[in-house]
Amino acid sequence: MAEKSYEEEHPTRAFGWAARDQSGVLSPFKFSRRSTGEKDVRFKVLYCGICHSDLHMAKNEWGTSMYPLVPGHEIVGEVTEVGSKVEKFKVGDKVGVGCMVGSCHSCDSCNSDLENYCPKMILTYSTKYHDGTTTYGGYSDSMVTDEHFVVRIPDNLPLDAAAPLLCAGITVYSPLRFFNLDKPGMHVGVVGLGGLGHVAVKFAKAMGVKVTVISTSPKKKQEALEHLGADSFLVSRDQDEMQAAMGTMDGVIDTVSAMHPILPLISLLKTQGKLVLVGAPEKPLELPVFPLIMGRKIVGGSCIGGMKETQEMIDFAAKNNITADIEVISMDYVNTAMERLLKTDVRYRFVIDIGNTMKI
Ligand code: NAP
Ligand code: ZN
Ligand code: ZN
């Protein structure tokens, strides 16, 4: 398809940065957005976080990417127009959109406020929307989204540092709640101190949970303990440290983005402890069965969260002053940021200053 047709697909011109192929390299991209429908909220994008999923998707590591691909699902901005039937938002409101922009609204999951598990869930980018056109994410100047998938950003949260809550935040908040790892006095391990991991530490601490970080990066120890509020820190390659912590945790939230062994993590669990995988490496992990059987242990997964819970998470964050620790970057730094993210060289989330640096 010639590039011109992307600009003519819908009535309103839009501008963003897109990956064109599996190299994952992003470059400027002119496209278009639909007119504001009855239930749509149109907003000017101000900030967008860079999730590791954006990197997996830009490089087609999960095999589902459609190019050109405009990533970005940690999106915040200011409402510029609302459709005639929009009830929750008005022009000028500060809003956010996370990983999904549509679902069927009639299946069991949708009826239980779990749109994130709807078989017809529409992702914020690289998925076909109800009208058959491809969705484009938040590395762009504007968004038009059904109000059901828009959340309100409370006034006391800074917009840039709140952006990562839309994916990283809900992805760790939801399993802490669902798997009952949110009770004061419990002991939870957080594996991987990246975008997801560092907000997991903050949410778990706010819930009154004792938190141990399990990391490959000894250099993150001091900051984890002194700044993020973790209670202890294990270097996953240090056999002695890992051995000493065996059987001490009620749960472990694994946010690791790459291949890694899970036996050492299962060993950290108490009897009936729960290992929850949220990191999504491109290849299957090896599941050791005997250690599970011998301790009646549980291995589960979790995918973002429903819209009701996402708003609840944002409100909980606002009440407890939880935001991400971010490095704000300009749009044209995005490819360097992606390279650094792959090397875990970020404290702890890149956020693109779309409002000030996106130039046609
Ligand atoms: P990130 O910022 O890159 O953090 C991942 C962390 O994993 C790194 O900081 C690093 O922590 C650790 N790590 C990286 N490579 C490793 C390796 N080879 N072995 C062991 N540890 C390693 O990524 P993120 O944005 O938090 O995302 C993490 C994963 O979650 C990605 O796969 C992403 O696609 C997925 N995700 C899933 C959902 C969901 O709904 N389930 C939602 C969002 C993202 P240390 O330096 O501390 O070791
Ligand atoms: Zn994400
Ligand atoms: Zn559904």
Side-chain angles (χ1 to χ4, degrees):
M1 191 160 31
E3 190 143 307
K4 200 171 173 215
S5 56
Y6 295 113
E7 285 183 79
E8 290 172 347
E9 193 173 31
H10 297 289
T12 313
R13 295 291 161 95
F15 185 69
W17 279 50
R20 316 298 171 129
D21 55 41
Q22 293 195 10
S23 70
V25 173
L26 299 163
S27 55
F29 173 56
K30 290 180 181 169
F31 65 110
S32 50
R33 297 268 188 208
R34 67 177 183 268
S35 304
T36 310
E38 284 181 337
K39 300 186 87 178
D40 283 339
V41 172
R42 177 178 293 275
F43 64 94
K44 176 179 162 51
V45 178
L46 296 176
Y47 295 99
C48 187
I50 300 184
C51 177
H52 205 112
S53 302
D54 296 345
L55 184 54
H56 291 300
M57 285 294 289
K59 295 187 170 185
N60 196 23
E61 289 178 356
W62 296 332
T64 57
S65 302
M66 293 188 277
Y67 297 104
L69 181 147
V70 178
H73 58 207
E74 293 183 338
I75 314 161
V76 293
E78 186 174 320
V79 177
T80 54
E81 191 183 8
V82 293
S84 57
K85 294 197 173 153
V86 166
E87 290 170 358
K88 290 187 291 181
F89 303 100
K90 59 179 191 321
V91 171
D93 283 353
K94 302 292 192 297
V95 294
V97 167
C99 300
M100 57 183 171
V101 292
S103 70
C104 83
H105 299 288
S106 61
C107 70
D108 287 351
S109 294
C110 285
N111 288 333
S112 318
D113 293 316
L114 294 170
E115 306 89 340
N116 48 321
Y117 298 116
C118 171
K120 294 185 178 158
M121 189 245 285
I122 299 170
L123 294 169
T124 302
Y125 60 84
S126 204
T127 307
K128 291 286 178 201
Y129 197 63
H130 299 296
D131 62 7
T133 64
T134 303
T135 54
Y136 296 113
Y139 297 7
S140 65
D141 56 358
S142 66
M143 288 291 293
V144 184
T145 309
D146 181 329
E147 74 163 328
H148 185 78
F149 296 92
V150 179
V151 294
R152 177 177 305 284
I153 308 291
D155 287 338
N156 68 319
L157 289 180
L159 287 183
D160 50 2
L165 297 175
L166 273 311
C167 173
I170 186 61
T171 300
V172 294
Y173 178 91
S174 183
L176 285 168
R177 292 289 195 215
F178 177 75
F179 289 99
N180 289 313
L181 297 172
D182 57 349
K183 307 289 174 286
M186 280 185 157
H187 184 192
V188 169
V190 172
V191 193
L193 199 62
L196 269 56
H198 92 288
V199 286
V201 174
K202 295 186 184 195
F203 276 121
K205 285 307 295 176
M207 293 167 185
V209 168
K210 178 184 170 195
V211 179
T212 295
V213 172
I214 301 123
S215 170
T216 58
S217 312
K219 60 180 190 298
K220 294 180 183 172
K221 179 172 182 176
Q222 193 178 356
E223 213 166 38
L225 298 176
E226 292 174 11
H227 176 62
L228 296 174
D231 298 281
S232 51
F233 188 97
L234 302 173
V235 177
S236 49
R237 295 189 183 117
D238 185 323
Q239 304 271 349
D240 294 339
E241 276 187 16
M242 292 293 282
Q243 185 86 21
M246 270 173 69
T248 62
M249 298 182 193
D250 298 284
V252 168
I253 307 279
D254 181 349
T255 77
V256 174
S257 51
M259 299 298 294
H260 62 292
I262 59 170
L263 175 60
L265 307 178
I266 292 170
S267 305
L268 293 173
L269 296 171
K270 295 177 184 171
T271 302
Q272 305 188 135
K274 299 159 191 169
L275 170 63
V276 185
L277 303 167
V278 293
E282 56 184 299
K283 292 200 188 98
L285 301 176
E286 198 172 314
L287 183 70
V289 175
F290 270 92
L292 296 178
I293 295 175
M294 299 315 289
R296 197 152 77 170
K297 295 176 182 177
I298 292 167
V299 178
S302 189
C303 174
I304 48 172
M307 292 316 301
K308 186 163 174 259
E309 192 176 40
T310 303
Q311 186 67 61
E312 177 193 307
M313 174 277 307
I314 294 264
D315 295 342
F316 179 90
K319 204 170 148 208
N320 292 280
N321 291 312
I322 294 173
T323 52
D325 289 18
I326 57 170
E327 186 174 331
V328 178
I329 61 165
S330 61
M331 191 65 242
D332 59 9
Y333 187 77
V334 67
N335 290 309
T336 309
M338 291 284 197
E339 282 169 26
R340 285 182 49 197
L341 181 60
L342 197 55
K343 292 186 277 187
T344 77
D345 174 22
V346 52
R347 300 287 173 90
Y348 285 90
R349 194 56 131 195
F350 288 114
V351 172
I352 310 168
D353 181 353
I354 304 269
N356 290 310
T357 68
M358 176 74 80
K359 296 187 191 80
I360 297 181

